[in-house]
Amino acid sequence: MDNQPLRHETGLRVRYAETDKMGVVYYANYYIWMEVARSEFVRELGVEYKHLEDNEGLLLAVIESNCRYLRPAHYDQEIAITTSLGELTHRIVEFVYQISSADTAQILAKGSTKHMWLNRQWKPARLPDPYLDRLRQAAGQTKK
Amino acid sequence: MDNQPLRHETGLRVRYAETDKMGVVYYANYYIWMEVARSEFVRELGVEYKHLEDNEGLLLAVIESNCRYLRPAHYDQEIAITTSLGELTHRIVEFVYQISSADTAQILAKGSTKHMWLNRQWKPARLPDPYLDRLRQAAGQTKK
Amino acid sequence: MDNQPLRHETGLRVRYAETDKMGVVYYANYYIWMEVARSEFVRELGVEYKHLEDNEGLLLAVIESNCRYLRPAHYDQEIAITTSLGELTHRIVEFVYQISSADTAQILAKGSTKHMWLNRQWKPARLPDPYLDRLRQAAGQTKK
Amino acid sequence: MDNQPLRHETGLRVRYAETDKMGVVYYANYYIWMEVARSEFVRELGVEYKHLEDNEGLLLAVIESNCRYLRPAHYDQEIAITTSLGELTHRIVEFVYQISSADTAQILAKGSTKHMWLNRQWKPARLPDPYLDRLRQAAGQTKK
């Protein structure tokens, strides 16, 4: 109940640079939006990713990404991205995204990205407990 | 036997622009490489995508994409992308990619993209038979 | 006095995708930010560029761009871009940009872009008077 | 005579990702091409930029860039970029670019970039003599 999973909403507006000659947003750019959304999400949790990278020496390396494109997105359109947490362990973080038109709430795309923590030597690392706990709470995955 | 599935190999070199502050290639850029690879692949089949778009009024819209990242790619590294065809109907084309280090042949990433043909009104369209046949032959999927 | 030249301020936050392996924002991305800034600027003038493109059949083609980089910009940094109008005729629009750190107000880069109006046939076109007047007023270039 | 200034030619093909909804190459992407061209140019001089960055701890930071756009570039078009050296001191390197259609030799754009050497602490650095000599020879700027 108090474990309601957090969903973070990010807003952005389609840039001209993000369109292609088909007149709509180029498919790879949805992954850039996902990154913007998860950065904001993590920041909202009180964990600045920049801090983890600079101070804890932890890198969050993408190991998997996917996207299903339902409707095209257009230049200047306002986009809303809802981000939530999926799989969550000391080693793995999964983010799940829903990308919609901010005006009509129509879903434009759905995707997810899976990440692994690495240390500065690019070896698999464990996210320290306090950080994981904060993520778990955010995900509504804390147990009684 | 004469239906050996075609595999197209594309070479490219990692651009500085494609790296990020983690020092390796940014995850969305693999999708740009996949697009370069499938363009070359389609061109090699004797079908210039530009021609389909300009003359047949057909657009190939991405409906799904995914990538698994196995090892990082670095600036200036020579990359080899092997592209082959997966699912193939009048309406759907799937491309499957293997992205490797050109030097060591180590696999860096694997992915696929699924596409739907659209007409100029952005309605689902059918790829005309001659084109489909050429793709099917390429895929080694012709029956005799 | 009432012709005080308009300066539009745009805010954005550095995306991870915009950094490169040097750890700072890749130089070409400042031009994307300039485009975001001039889009907002033009929108604020009550002229949606999308409208000009879709309804008047006018394209604003870049004919020149330049940037001087004074200090690097970093991931997650909040950026403020001040945009104003430079040269302004029926055929040419020039935008002038100052890119700063939103926190410290330190100037990071200065640039400008020069554009030419084209019609749908990609021939030079003239911006209709009502639009030009609105731009001139915005630029504080109206005469008594 | 034996000091004929070196001009390096780089070839590339326009990627779909590089176009925008105007149907042509987005203006910021010319700067990415310039970077590809100067990387190849420097590599041809026998100096791998990657080596300078990794072994000498030298970064080449862009301090200025500009481009004049004469004709649009289109998807799938083969592009030829001619790169030569401009200003050249221990501290500053300038590259000058001419971007043409590989087929027609028509010039599409002209630009230049100016760079400053930095050490790992991001302080201005001097390019060691052997490297500078090699660049000077390449530029046809060696004196008797």
Side-chain angles (χ1 to χ4, degrees), chain C residues 1 11 23 30 49 95 100 130 132 135 140:
Chain C
M1 199 181 60
Y30 290 76
Y49 176 60
F95 295 93
S100 311
L132 181 61
L135 290 176

Side-chain angles (χ1 to χ4, degrees), chain A residues 21 26-27 31 35 53 65, chain B residues 21 26-27 31 35 53:
Chain A
K21 79 186 279 282
Y26 182 70
Y27 85 126
Y31 291 100
E35 171 243 300
E53 200 169 301
S65 68
Chain B
K21 77 185 281 281
Y26 182 70
Y27 84 125
Y31 291 100
E35 171 242 299
E53 199 168 300

Side-chain angles (χ1 to χ4, degrees), chain A residues 1 5 8-9 23-24 26-27 30 32 34 38 63 67-68 73 75 83 121 129 143:
Chain A
M1 197 183 55
H8 179 70
E9 184 128 336
V24 298
Y26 182 70
Y27 85 126
Y30 290 76
I32 297 180
M34 292 182 203
R38 70 176 170 266
I63 55 175
C67 189
R68 281 187 306 126
Y75 167 58
T83 310
Q121 289 71 48
D129 279 332
K143 13 180 170 30

Side-chain angles (χ1 to χ4, degrees), chain B residues 35-72:
Chain B
E35 171 242 299
V36 171
R38 71 177 171 266
S39 293
E40 276 201 18
F41 183 36
V42 171
R43 188 183 307 120
E44 193 193 70
L45 300 178
V47 185
E48 277 195 56
Y49 175 62
K50 195 178 173 313
H51 180 82
L52 278 170
E53 199 168 300
D54 293 348
N55 296 74
E56 300 281 337
L58 286 175
L59 302 169
L60 196 53
V62 189
I63 55 175
E64 221 177 295
S65 69
N66 68 75
C67 188
R68 281 189 305 128
Y69 309 88
L70 308 177
R71 283 177 192 81

Side-chain angles (χ1 to χ4, degrees), chain A residues 15, chain B residues 16-17 19-21, chain C residues 12-34 67 69 71-79 99 108-109, chain D residues 38 60-63 122:
Chain A
R15 299 173 171 188
Chain B
Y16 208 92
T19 62
D20 65 21
K21 77 185 281 281
Chain C
L12 52 82
R13 195 187 274 267
V14 177
R15 300 173 170 188
Y16 208 92
E18 292 168 341
T19 61
D20 65 21
K21 77 186 280 282
M22 215 181 269
V24 298
V25 173
Y26 183 69
Y27 85 127
N29 293 325
Y30 290 76
Y31 291 100
I32 298 180
W33 295 352
M34 292 182 202
C67 189
Y69 309 88
R71 285 177 191 80
H74 296 91
Y75 168 57
D76 214 39
Q77 191 173 2
E78 292 195 73
I79 301 293
I99 298 175
L108 307 178
Chain D
R38 71 178 170 264
L60 196 53
V62 189
I63 54 174
W122 281 79

Side-chain angles (χ1 to χ4, degrees), chain D residues 24-53:
Chain D
V24 299
V25 173
Y26 182 70
Y27 84 125
N29 292 325
Y30 289 77
Y31 291 101
I32 297 180
W33 296 353
M34 293 183 201
E35 172 242 299
V36 171
R38 71 178 170 264
S39 292
E40 276 202 17
F41 182 37
V42 171
R43 188 183 309 120
E44 193 192 73
L45 299 177
V47 185
E48 279 194 56
Y49 175 60
K50 196 177 173 313
H51 180 86
L52 277 170
E53 201 169 297

Side-chain angles (χ1 to χ4, degrees), chain D residues 118-134:
Chain D
L118 299 179
N119 63 20
R120 283 206 180 98
Q121 290 70 47
W122 281 79
K123 298 291 170 208
R126 286 170 62 90
L127 184 68
D129 279 331
Y131 293 105
L132 180 62
D133 290 348
R134 219 175 309 166

Side-chain angles (χ1 to χ4, degrees), chain A residues 28-46:
Chain A
N29 292 326
Y30 290 76
Y31 291 100
I32 297 180
W33 295 352
M34 292 182 203
E35 171 243 300
V36 171
R38 70 176 170 266
S39 292
E40 276 201 19
F41 182 36
V42 171
R43 188 183 308 119
E44 193 193 71
L45 300 178

